[in-house]
Amino acid sequence: MRSTTLASLLLAASCTLPQVHAATPAAKAARAVAAPMPAGVWMPDQGDGTFINPILNGDYSDPDVVRVGDDFYLTASSFTNVPGLPVLHSKDLVNWTLIGHALAKNVPEAHHAVPRHGGGVWAPAIRHREGRFYIYYPDPDFGIFMVSATDPKGPWSAPVLVDDSKGAIDPAPFWDDDGQAWLVHAFAGSRAGFKNVVTLKKMSADGTRTLDAGRRIIDGDRLPKAATSQGPTPWFTTEGPKLYKRGGYYYVFVPSGSVKGGWQGVFRARHIEGPYEGRNVMDQGDTAINGPHQGAWVHTPAGEDWFVHFSDTDSYGRRVFLQPMHWGADGWPVIGARQGKEHYGEPVTRHRKPKVAAQPPATAPVASDEFDDGRHLGWQWMANPMADWVDGGVKGRLRLKAVSSPANLWEAGHLLTQKLPGMTFSVTTSIELKPGGQPGERAGLLVYGYDYAWIGLENTPAGQRLVQATRLDADLGVNKGKVQQSSETVLAAPLEVTGPVHVRLSFSPVEVAEPAPDVPHYWHSMLRSTHARVTFSYSLDGVAFRPFGSAFTTRPGRWVGTQVGLFAQAPGGTPSNTATRAGYAEFDYFRFGR
């Protein structure tokens, strides 16, 4: 009875876009953490006309959405993962299906033949014009690219370099009423040497190249402080621009304030080149949803307005949230639930679903895989793949070649991974290792980030052994000018394996306290990070599982959450006369559960 009453109160509170009042810092610090999600793969649709955020629990960073008729399409950053630029489809902005990828390989292909952690595809924008879809995306080391297609499932065109400005990021195209094409973008300070700036450039009518050096239309360093629930706050790390037009105004939606400590800003002007005035339209307020920012304004056929954005959940990645959005009589939007009488909102957790013609069934991007006919669309490599990393002719199972690579898997491109589909879950697979003859070949079920761990099989001079391995600081980060030399800790089970073995990873979220930021005002969510405690187990019959090894606490990767996946590896530097006899591993299934 209590849970029903609580759900009713949540629904009543969120569906009416309530006013909320800012809490004192002490009250914020003492506020309880939100109730955990149910175990298993997360489903946002509650089946009663409401949804609970996030709408995508997977790591779909920097989302952008376009509506075409009654359909919605979403893309997101993919960084070093290949294929890149995931394309998802929805009929109601809540239930999403992965329908393909717009980028078969990262370019330049030779550069991305090895993992370029933190590089590759940054925040994209998706648009539709005259029967064609366009995605603009940046690689901060090479420029801004565009791909296009008539069918969002593909095929997509090869990438076209639209602009080669150093450090240009977060592009978004806009075609004005007169047909003139424009491009807005921001800058990465790590490449350009400056940031906190949004530039507007003219483009050719077909959107394939910029025509000028552009002009700065937003310069965060020169702006007066923004009113937020933490008091007046300077604009910094202003990026991720999206350009729209409504009611005679040009609007640029931009996040500011960095990822966890940021908010969503909006600027407007009567003329596309400015001058622009801006304000905060949503910040964290008194919620547990950090950021929240960077995403897309969506106007539905029913006349409703919604905002899709991400919130950083550390090891669980940048998950995607959906917020109601309302335009005021003054021509400014408010996103989420209005905070008291302020001109900005805060994110909601539960809300009624968008009004659409027909409610689709509850769904989420595919996760489990039986490999009955290849593998599903959710799998990605860590770098541009070689043709022989996987044997596509094998049906009913996944066969991965034992690729020769460095022992540190952080530097291996042949890892086949997925995003985490929930908060508390297990993932199980069956592994059979067919070594080519030399010791050191291995294969396993992997949890992967700056630290990684895996459970699986290794070929040794004494035969195959079940092992559990852990490597901390796998990224070899530089500390005080010296490279941290990480090493792998390996535990072998006291048994010889002669056939398939079933292995399992079990995830549960843990919160880790973080030091207070060195700034006068900050939101309470910055005092914690969320990671996963992972335990390992195995079974010889697929029924009775035994724990093995010590628990492992995850860390995210560079700009991405922790990933889970499979690999098969031969020792790095395997001599050429034996490399042709490298073995392989077969995985019979890959199943997520509670």
Side-chain angles (χ1 to χ4, degrees), residues 399-579:
R399 179 181 291 180
L400 297 181
K401 182 177 179 179
V403 178
S404 177
S405 64
N408 185 351
L409 295 177
W410 181 258
E411 300 183 38
H414 58 90
L415 312 181
L416 192 59
T417 65
Q418 291 192 43
K419 308 174 189 301
L420 304 186
M423 300 294 282
T424 303
F425 63 89
S426 66
V427 58
T428 310
T429 190
S430 169
I431 306 175
E432 186 169 13
L433 180 61
K434 299 288 188 179
Q438 65 266 30
E441 291 185 348
R442 56 189 193 166
L445 175 61
L446 172 76
V447 52
Y448 183 83
Y450 286 137
D451 300 340
Y452 70 75
W454 60 274
I455 182 172
L457 300 175
E458 182 172 7
N459 188 40
T460 75
Q464 286 192 39
R465 292 289 187 263
L466 175 71
V467 300
Q468 189 263 324
T470 302
R471 185 185 290 267
L472 306 181
D473 298 317
D475 58 311
L476 302 178
V478 175
N479 182 20
K480 296 182 179 179
K482 295 182 179 180
V483 175
Q484 301 172 9
Q485 297 296 336
S486 66
S487 60
E488 200 167 75
T489 301
V490 180
L491 175 66
L495 69 139
E496 183 176 353
V497 178
T498 57
V501 63
H502 306 265
V503 292
R504 175 175 293 168
L505 305 177
S506 298
F507 288 70
S508 58
V510 293
E511 286 196 352
V512 177
E514 299 289 353
D518 188 21
V519 293
H521 304 286
Y522 55 85
W523 282 279
H524 55 83
S525 69
M526 299 178 73
L527 299 178
R528 64 180 182 271
S529 58
T530 304
H531 302 288
R533 181 179 185 271
V534 182
T535 57
F536 307 82
S537 57
Y538 73 93
S539 171
L540 298 181
D541 60 7
V543 177
F545 281 80
R546 300 182 60 182
F548 181 48
S550 301
F552 168 80
T553 300
T554 61
R555 291 175 66 201
R558 182 66 170 167
W559 307 129
V560 299
T562 301
Q563 299 178 36
V564 62
L566 306 170
F567 75 96
Q569 183 184 45
T574 300
S576 59
N577 67 322
T578 61

Side-chain angles (χ1 to χ4, degrees), residues 301-325:
E304 295 181 333
D305 295 291
W306 298 83
F307 188 73
V308 178
H309 68 93
F310 78 80
S311 180
D312 187 3
T313 319
D314 308 297
S315 285
Y316 287 91
R318 296 177 175 183
R319 303 181 300 162
V320 181
F321 288 63
L322 178 64
Q323 304 297 336
M325 176 173 146

Side-chain angles (χ1 to χ4, degrees), residues 173-199:
F174 175 78
W175 283 268
D176 210 343
D177 298 334
D178 60 1
Q180 177 63 58
W182 301 84
L183 186 75
V184 288
H185 68 79
F187 290 91
S190 59
R191 274 75 165 181
F194 65 93
K195 60 180 181 178
N196 209 26
V197 166
V198 175
T199 292

Side-chain angles (χ1 to χ4, degrees), residues 114-175:
V114 296
R116 301 291 182 178
H117 297 288
V121 177
W122 285 26
I126 183 170
R127 295 292 181 266
H128 184 264
R129 174 177 168 79
E130 297 179 348
R132 195 165 190 89
F133 290 86
Y134 296 86
I135 297 179
Y136 286 72
Y137 74 90
D139 182 322
D141 297 309
F142 296 100
I144 292 171
F145 296 86
M146 181 269 286
V147 294
S148 66
T150 56
D151 186 337
K153 294 181 180 179
W156 288 79
S157 67
V160 174
L161 182 62
V162 176
D163 188 279
D164 63 357
S165 298
K166 185 176 182 179
I169 58 170
D170 305 348
F174 175 78
W175 283 268

Side-chain angles (χ1 to χ4, degrees), residues 195-213:
K195 60 180 181 178
N196 209 26
V197 166
V198 175
T199 292
L200 174 73
K201 297 177 178 177
K202 284 187 176 182
M203 280 200 302
S204 59
D206 61 2
T208 59
R209 66 187 189 281
T210 53
L211 302 178
D212 56 28

Side-chain angles (χ1 to χ4, degrees), residues 208-269:
T208 59
R209 66 187 189 281
T210 53
L211 302 178
D212 56 28
R215 62 180 295 171
R216 294 185 178 187
I217 58 172
I218 298 170
D219 188 338
D221 293 339
R222 298 176 178 270
L223 295 172
K225 293 181 178 180
T228 77
S229 60
Q230 288 293 337
T233 305
W235 296 83
F236 62 95
T237 319
T238 306
E239 56 189 11
K242 300 293 190 299
L243 178 57
Y244 307 99
K245 191 175 186 180
R246 179 186 184 273
Y249 279 100
Y250 296 90
Y251 291 87
V252 183
F253 283 52
V254 291
S256 192
S258 77
V259 175
K260 279 196 168 184
W263 69 91
Q264 180 63 41
V266 168
F267 287 78
R268 73 176 186 182

Side-chain angles (χ1 to χ4, degrees), residues 53 71 101 115 127 339 406 464 470:
N53 275 312
D71 298 279
H101 290 82
R127 295 292 181 266
Q339 298 189 47
Q464 286 192 39
T470 302

